[in-house]
Amino acid sequence: MAANYDLVVIGGGTAGLVSAAGAASLGARVALVERDRLGGDCLYNGCVPTKALVKSARVAHLVRHSEEYGVVSGGAEVDFPAVMDRVRRVIERAGEHDSPERFRKIGVDVFLDEARFESPDRISVDGHRLQARSVIVATGSHSTTPPIDGIEEAGYVDHVGALALRRLPRSVIVVGSGPIGSEFAQIFARFGSDVTLVSTSPLPLPKEDPEIGEVLRQVLLADGVTFHGGYRAEKVRVEGAEKVMTVRNEAGHEVEVRGEEILVAAGRAPTAGSLALENAGIELEEKGLKVDEHLRTTAPNVYAAGDITGKYLFTHVAEYQGRNALRNALFPVKAKADHRVVPWTTFTDPEVARVGLTEEQARREHDDVKVFRQPFSGVDRAMADGETTGFVKIVTGRRGKILGGHIIGPDAGNLIHEIVLAMQKNNPIGTLSTTIHVYPTLAQANQRAADNYYREKLFRNQKLFSAFFGARRLLDRVKPPVNRK
Ligand SMILES: Cc1cc2nc3c(=O)[nH]c(=O)nc-3n(C[C@H](O)[C@H](O)[C@H](O)COP(=O)(O)OP(=O)(O)OC[C@H]3O[C@@H](n4cnc5c(N)ncnc54)[C@H](O)[C@@H]3O)c2cc1C
């Protein structure tokens, strides 16, 4: 006999947990199937542990530079096992709300095993059969390894392996300079490893504005990272305790780089292999499940949310899509998933935050594109904090419509939200300028960038204003203002 459910959710990461908890709170009968631990990649192998590492790396960096603040310290020695103990404590604390007991208490039937489709509305798990009116697939993504000759024999880690290291490697070759590779490169360098970052793109964070990539490249160099931009990892061999990687650029120039450890952070793929999607008629594309604007897959009763959709691989998008899929899975009136304004942040130091189009994309797609900037070197609070690297860059279209916001600088991940809200509410750039901002805060960088919009307008009208003041002075000579009634 199959148990009957209004909704079966497969995958207990962010998207799955949000969907299951939301459905239970609405009074639906829900089953949640997770093959590992509730919490998913973000909690155990992603955002939470890496951000805890980012903090430790930042503390080490600050201690090393404490004399710039007039504080004398004996230098920073990193106790790697203690750092990793802290990471585990942070995960434990952040995961308190994700226990199976808590989900059972709120009315979710939790199954801890692998789910497999028998048909679009029937799922088998651990010898049980679940009959589902609707299903949400939220099985996430996993890292992939590019073809590099000899890498399997030489051995390497991905982010999961890197987070399980018990000893700090003396040297690390990081392959891939996207957000994960760039964050890890800086973390290991600040802990004291000798880091080489190999990237097929000429600058780190290839999806970001090149101006931002260039600033980050310089920051990484200052942290001691050796950056090989525009080079592809081709082969690896082992020499004693070291792995020797040959990397080659488009011109055919070869370089050998060495490291005790190799960390590959060069791409992600949807996790769907074990689901038997063919039994449910669910189509899988290269990046993720094929979904429509309501996050419905090619099986009419099956929805998808989170990394498995291959759209934006971020926890906050997984959460948003989880809510959207839940609503569409349970109710007849469907809501479109709105991906118009999606922000994200890379948590290097300084952080890199982004929403909307880059300048290049905007110029390709829109007329009348303008760019307004403010460097943090001109912001009083950044000066006081001694953190003046970076800038705010706002890209606008007609009548000051904000098309994109790009920040590299202190606390960029928080600062971007003002631009996100303006874009979401269709507020033009002028609103950032006319809104009173607290002094002295980093948020003034957004306001100063937006002030340039009005400054430019005023400059264009300067001749008109000059004519007005000239005429008024002439009038004042004929009849002084004090004598006017
Ligand atoms: C190193 C790293 C750092 C990151 N940092 C950030 C960050 O700072 N900010 C940010 O927004 N995002 C970050 N991300 C991305 C973020 O972790 C993901 O976007 C997020 O975890 C996606 O959530 P999800 O629910 O889609 O998938 P997941 O969290 O991956 O959950 C999927 C779950 O499904 C389970 N599962 C898979 N197949 C089956 C099956 N057949 N049966 C049952 N269960 C199954 C898995 O065990 C897993 O628990 C980072 C990722 C990495 C790798």
Side-chain angles (χ1 to χ4, degrees):
M1 251 303 263
N4 259 307
Y5 289 97
D6 296 305
L7 180 67
V8 171
V9 178
I10 307 176
T14 304
L17 294 177
V18 166
S19 316
S25 71
L26 290 169
R29 184 146 192 245
V30 197
L32 171 63
V33 188
E34 165 57 52
R35 69 178 176 189
D36 189 359
R37 297 171 286 183
L38 295 189
D41 227 18
C42 179
L43 177 60
Y44 294 107
N45 304 312
C47 337
V48 173
T50 53
K51 266 72 267 181
L53 287 178
V54 161
K55 185 68 188 192
S56 292
R58 188 164 157 70
V59 171
H61 180 78
L62 270 177
V63 172
R64 262 178 226 127
H65 290 80
S66 69
E67 287 182 19
E68 286 169 26
Y69 297 86
V71 178
V72 180
S73 74
E77 197 185 315
V78 174
D79 177 349
F80 190 68
V83 167
M84 297 315 276
D85 276 349
R86 175 172 178 273
V87 169
R88 279 184 279 277
R89 287 198 303 277
V90 173
I91 292 174
E92 233 166 72
R93 184 119 191 250
E96 274 167 13
H97 291 295
D98 296 343
S99 71
E101 294 71 41
R102 182 180 159 256
F103 274 79
R104 288 185 178 120
K105 232 182 237 166
I106 61 172
V108 177
D109 286 351
V110 180
F111 295 86
L112 292 174
D113 209 338
E114 197 154 77
R116 200 169 177 280
F117 280 99
E118 287 183 2
S119 69
D121 58 357
R122 194 169 276 224
I123 284 135
S124 66
V125 52
D126 193 19
H128 299 268
R129 274 197 162 153
L130 315 179
Q131 184 71 38
R133 196 167 202 287
S134 301
V135 180
I136 294 177
V137 181
T139 47
S141 66
H142 58 272
S143 55
T144 55
T145 308
I148 304 171
D149 247 13
I151 192 152
E152 296 298 334
E153 297 78 4
Y156 68 98
V157 292
D158 64 1
H159 63 285
V160 181
L163 291 165
L165 290 173
R166 306 205 160 267
R167 189 178 59 77
L168 180 69
R170 277 185 304 281
S171 50
V172 190
I173 304 168
V174 179
V175 179
S177 71
I180 297 173
S182 295
E183 285 180 16
F184 269 115
Q186 189 179 49
I187 288 166
F188 278 118
R190 287 187 169 188
F191 284 169
S193 296
D194 201 349
V195 177
T196 305
L197 179 56
V198 179
S199 163
T200 50
S201 61
L203 293 171
L205 301 184
K207 290 195 180 140
E208 304 303 340
D209 189 309
E211 275 184 70
I212 295 233
E214 177 51 27
V215 174
L216 186 61
R217 188 183 72 86
Q218 286 171 22
V219 167
L220 291 175
L221 294 183
D223 276 316
V225 173
T226 304
F227 182 66
H228 288 290
Y231 282 80
R232 188 173 294 279
E234 291 223 319
K235 52 186 178 196
V236 187
R237 64 174 195 278
V238 178
E239 262 185 34
E242 271 189 334
K243 296 164 187 179
V244 185
M245 182 179 281
T246 308
V247 303
R248 180 204 282 262
N249 71 6
E250 276 197 350
H253 182 248
E254 274 189 5
V255 181
E256 278 193 351
V257 296
R258 291 165 179 270
E260 190 190 348
E261 191 56 87
I262 296 172
L263 164 54
V264 175
R268 311 236 354 127
T271 303
S274 60
L275 287 167
L277 295 173
E278 61 285 358
N279 294 343
I282 300 169
E283 233 177 278
L284 176 66
E285 296 178 320
E286 193 195 332
K287 296 242 159 159
L289 297 184
K290 185 174 181 185
V291 290
D292 67 11
E293 59 195 12
H294 301 118
L295 299 176
R296 193 202 292 251
T297 68
T298 45
N301 69 319
V302 181
Y303 293 78
D307 281 13
I308 190 67
T309 65
K311 286 228 177 331
Y312 297 91
L313 310 191
F314 302 108
T315 296
H316 43 284
V317 177
E319 182 175 341
Y320 170 77
Q321 291 183 339
R323 284 196 204 130
N324 191 274
L326 143 76
R327 176 177 164 175
N328 291 339
L330 291 182
F331 299 109
V333 180
K334 310 291 179 204
K336 279 189 195 167
D338 178 1
H339 294 112
R340 268 181 324 121
V341 183
V342 178
W344 61 85
T345 296
T346 300
F347 293 88
T348 43
D349 175 20
E351 294 176 357
V352 174
R354 146 103 181 258
V355 59
L357 303 180
T358 61
E359 180 181 353
E360 198 189 317
Q361 290 169 331
R363 291 198 189 282
R364 264 201 314 263
E365 296 171 25
H366 294 264
D367 297 327
D368 209 9
V369 169
K370 292 201 171 70
V371 172
F372 302 96
R373 291 185 178 77
Q374 172 61 46
F376 282 98
S377 56
V379 176
D380 290 0
R381 179 57 186 270
M383 293 180 214
D385 289 348
E387 297 184 86
T388 52
T389 301
F391 55 84
V392 171
K393 173 172 176 178
I394 302 176
V395 182
T396 62
R398 275 213 189 108
R399 286 190 285 278
K401 181 183 170 69
I402 304 177
L403 302 174
H406 307 268
I407 308 178
I408 178 164
D411 222 9
N414 279 320
L415 296 182
I416 196 75
H417 288 98
E418 184 175 18
I419 303 173
V420 173
L421 187 63
M423 283 179 76
Q424 183 73 31
K425 294 290 164 203
N426 278 319
N427 287 331
I429 186 170
T431 45
L432 300 184
S433 173
T434 52
T435 301
I436 298 175
H437 286 63
V438 171
Y439 178 87
T441 58
L442 295 170
Q444 287 187 307
N446 289 338
Q447 189 182 28
R448 298 279 178 268
D451 285 348
N452 291 330
Y453 170 74
Y454 283 122
R455 200 161 291 135
E456 194 193 276
K457 271 191 158 194
L458 290 178
F459 186 73
R460 261 188 276 140
N461 292 326
Q462 209 177 30
K463 275 197 181 134
L464 202 72
F465 288 132
S466 293
F468 163 74
F469 291 125
R472 200 170 64 174
R473 279 195 302 273
L474 214 63
L475 198 69
D476 288 350
R477 248 184 276 152
V478 180
K479 192 170 189 183
V482 281
N483 296 337
R484 278 190 221 144
K485 285 265 151 71

